[in-house]
Amino acid sequence: MFWHQAVAQSEASSAIENTPLILRVGGSVTWDSNVYKVPDSVPDPQIASGKLGKSDRYSTAYVGLGLDKTYSQQRIFLDAVEQVVRYDKFDALDRNELNYRGSWQWQMSPRISGTLRADRAEGLIGLVETQFQRSFVRTSSNRGAMVDGWLSGGWHLLGGVLESEIKNSVQIREQPDNRQSGGEAGLRYVTESQNSITFMRRSSRGTYTNQSVDTVNFIDSGFMVEQREVAATWMVGARHNISGRLTAVERRHEHVPQRDFAGNAGEILYQWTPTAALAVNFSALRNLSPWAPDASVSYRVDDTFSFAPVWRIGEKTTLQMQAYRVESEFLGMIVPAPGPARRDVLHVVHIAASWAPNRRLTLGVNLQRQRRSSTDASVVFDANIAGVDASLNF
């Protein structure tokens, strides 16, 4: 999905692993040739506000705090970042973002353990995710608690509660603001070599916070989601690791059953470490999500294929790359529409190099190429992105 944010969060978490407390400050400058991700036929997406052209440069500054501390059998983890983003030209996109992830991994006895966790992600969503020639900020937050009860041998009984919320800075029909809460239960078997297989069942109920029932336009005020999942991890050897999951998803609407959908989602990840200096990740992901701009579509299916090597050239220099392809289909038509159903193909190639002259300072440069084709000409785009960044750890 939002790969840049996911990579940044992953790098931030790895930077604070096994470190009791760390303070990070840094910034970046980025040039984007097509900020609003519009087709070539739309050269000036913000001409009404006097902004000419599609490109812009923006600067980011941030301060972050990381904590990873173990007390007896308890582990406290926190990674929080406050970020300021300012554009040279498209200043309507200026924003402050707060992102955090935290957890408390507790152990009551050798047989009973669990986790309390919470996270918040805030970021800009542009034409890559919508059909509009504008961008907006989406804030998503999740809270949950999980209990793991060791039964016997390698068998564990799992149970938990989940709560999530999504807010958009502007109202959109595709994926409106909503709150969701529910629970999960399952069974896990862990071998002596730490391979595992898990069976889970999740049920949740959601409410659209800013819309009411409108059966004429096929709009509901809430929904219910059922998931049945099997997941497994397999350590093939010292250099190979495979993990995956298969999830049956069913989403139902009480007042507008025309919006119901069901299908299979899943993910498989293969991690290969041929040498101490080289790691390669291959992944395939299928995701189902609601998508309701009008009566022509009810949900979307995204198939993502990714290749991501990381090469540590030396003690101070790292080169990493990710190439991925996202195939999106927009399904669940209620009222027949002329022409074929919308289908998108997004290609992204991202290359980044970092240099750490000492343990506190890291300098980086990155290049990215984005290109999307589609049966809908209004969402086709090309973009080139380049940036430099620096960070200090204390």
Side-chain angles (χ1 to χ4, degrees), residues 311-390:
W311 179 28
R312 300 192 181 281
I313 302 174
E315 293 184 1
K316 300 181 179 181
T317 307
T318 301
L319 181 65
Q320 52 188 321
M321 186 266 281
Q322 185 179 45
Y324 67 92
R325 169 189 171 97
V326 184
E327 299 179 4
S328 301
E329 291 186 278
F330 297 78
L331 306 173
M333 184 180 298
I334 300 173
V335 178
R342 177 181 164 187
R343 181 178 181 273
D344 300 347
V345 178
L346 173 68
H347 292 91
V348 176
V349 177
H350 187 276
I351 299 174
S354 62
W355 177 55
N358 56 60
R359 68 184 185 89
R360 296 190 182 278
L361 175 64
T362 302
L363 305 174
V365 60
N366 64 86
L367 300 171
Q368 186 176 158
R369 167 69 172 166
Q370 299 180 352
R371 179 171 58 86
R372 181 165 68 188
S373 58
S374 176
T375 55
D376 182 350
S378 68
V379 300
V380 173
F381 76 86
D382 287 274
N384 296 307
I385 303 171
V388 295
D389 58 85

Side-chain angles (χ1 to χ4, degrees), residues 18-75:
N18 303 317
T19 302
L21 183 65
I22 188 171
L23 175 67
R24 303 188 307 275
V25 295
S28 64
V29 178
T30 304
W31 179 81
D32 191 333
S33 69
N34 190 353
V35 172
Y36 284 90
K37 306 300 180 283
V38 296
D40 291 339
S41 59
V42 185
D44 300 315
Q46 293 291 298
I47 193 171
S49 58
K51 315 290 185 178
L52 302 180
K54 298 184 294 181
S55 65
D56 200 1
R57 182 180 63 192
Y58 61 91
S59 302
T60 302
Y62 69 86
V63 57
L65 180 66
L67 174 67
D68 191 352
K69 184 67 175 178
T70 300
Y71 300 92
S72 183
Q73 294 181 311
Q74 321 301 312
R75 182 184 179 188

Side-chain angles (χ1 to χ4, degrees), residues 191-211:
T191 68
E192 292 183 359
S193 57
Q194 296 306 301
N195 297 326
S196 68
I197 184 168
T198 305
F199 303 92
M200 295 295 295
R201 175 72 179 266
R202 302 185 185 94
S203 298
S204 62
R205 179 179 292 272
T207 301
Y208 294 115
T209 54
N210 291 314
Q211 67 182 33

Side-chain angles (χ1 to χ4, degrees), residues 237-256:
R239 301 186 184 277
H240 306 270
N241 183 24
I242 300 175
S243 61
R245 62 176 174 83
L246 179 62
T247 309
V249 180
E250 183 179 2
R251 188 181 180 101
R252 301 190 303 274
H253 301 78
E254 180 180 358
H255 304 99
V256 187

Side-chain angles (χ1 to χ4, degrees), residues 142-364:
N142 301 279
R143 295 166 293 277
M146 170 69 76
V147 176
D148 182 329
W150 176 30
L151 299 176
S152 177
W155 291 101
H156 295 250
L157 185 64
L158 309 175
V161 292
L162 308 167
E163 186 176 80
S164 65
E165 183 175 13
I166 293 178
K167 291 183 178 181
N168 301 308
S169 60
V170 299
Q171 282 292 99
I172 64 166
R173 287 276 304 276
E174 284 86 347
Q175 292 179 316
D177 298 4
N178 67 83
R179 294 192 185 97
Q180 192 172 345
S181 61
E184 60 181 353
L187 194 65
R188 173 177 295 156
Y189 180 75
V190 183
T191 68
E192 292 183 359
S193 57
Q194 296 306 301
N195 297 326
S196 68
I197 184 168
T198 305
F199 303 92
M200 295 295 295
R201 175 72 179 266
R202 302 185 185 94
S203 298
S204 62
R205 179 179 292 272
T207 301
Y208 294 115
T209 54
N210 291 314
Q211 67 182 33
S212 55
V213 177
D214 181 353
T215 56
V216 174
N217 293 302
F218 305 100
I219 297 174
D220 211 330
S221 59
F223 55 91
M224 292 172 288
V225 180
E226 295 282 342
Q227 294 185 351
R228 298 176 298 279
E229 181 177 276
V230 56
T233 60
W234 181 26
M235 299 291 294
V236 184
R239 301 186 184 277
H240 306 270
N241 183 24
I242 300 175
S243 61
R245 62 176 174 83
L246 179 62
T247 309
V249 180
E250 183 179 2
R251 188 181 180 101
R252 301 190 303 274
H253 301 78
E254 180 180 358
H255 304 99
V256 187
Q258 297 92 334
R259 292 286 185 194
D260 295 354
F261 66 86
N264 293 321
E267 182 178 18
I268 185 167
L269 173 63
Y270 171 58
Q271 298 174 308
W272 177 42
T273 311
T275 70
L278 179 63
V280 184
N281 293 334
F282 302 89
S283 68
L285 169 69
R286 164 164 282 209
N287 187 55
L288 278 68
S289 58
W291 191 262
D294 48 43
S296 65
V297 175
S298 292
Y299 69 102
R300 62 184 289 175
V301 178
D302 297 309
D303 292 319
T304 303
F305 306 91
S306 174
F307 166 68
V310 178
W311 179 28
R312 300 192 181 281
I313 302 174
E315 293 184 1
K316 300 181 179 181
T317 307
T318 301
L319 181 65
Q320 52 188 321
M321 186 266 281
Q322 185 179 45
Y324 67 92
R325 169 189 171 97
V326 184
E327 299 179 4
S328 301
E329 291 186 278
F330 297 78
L331 306 173
M333 184 180 298
I334 300 173
V335 178
R342 177 181 164 187
R343 181 178 181 273
D344 300 347
V345 178
L346 173 68
H347 292 91
V348 176
V349 177
H350 187 276
I351 299 174
S354 62
W355 177 55
N358 56 60
R359 68 184 185 89
R360 296 190 182 278
L361 175 64
T362 302
L363 305 174

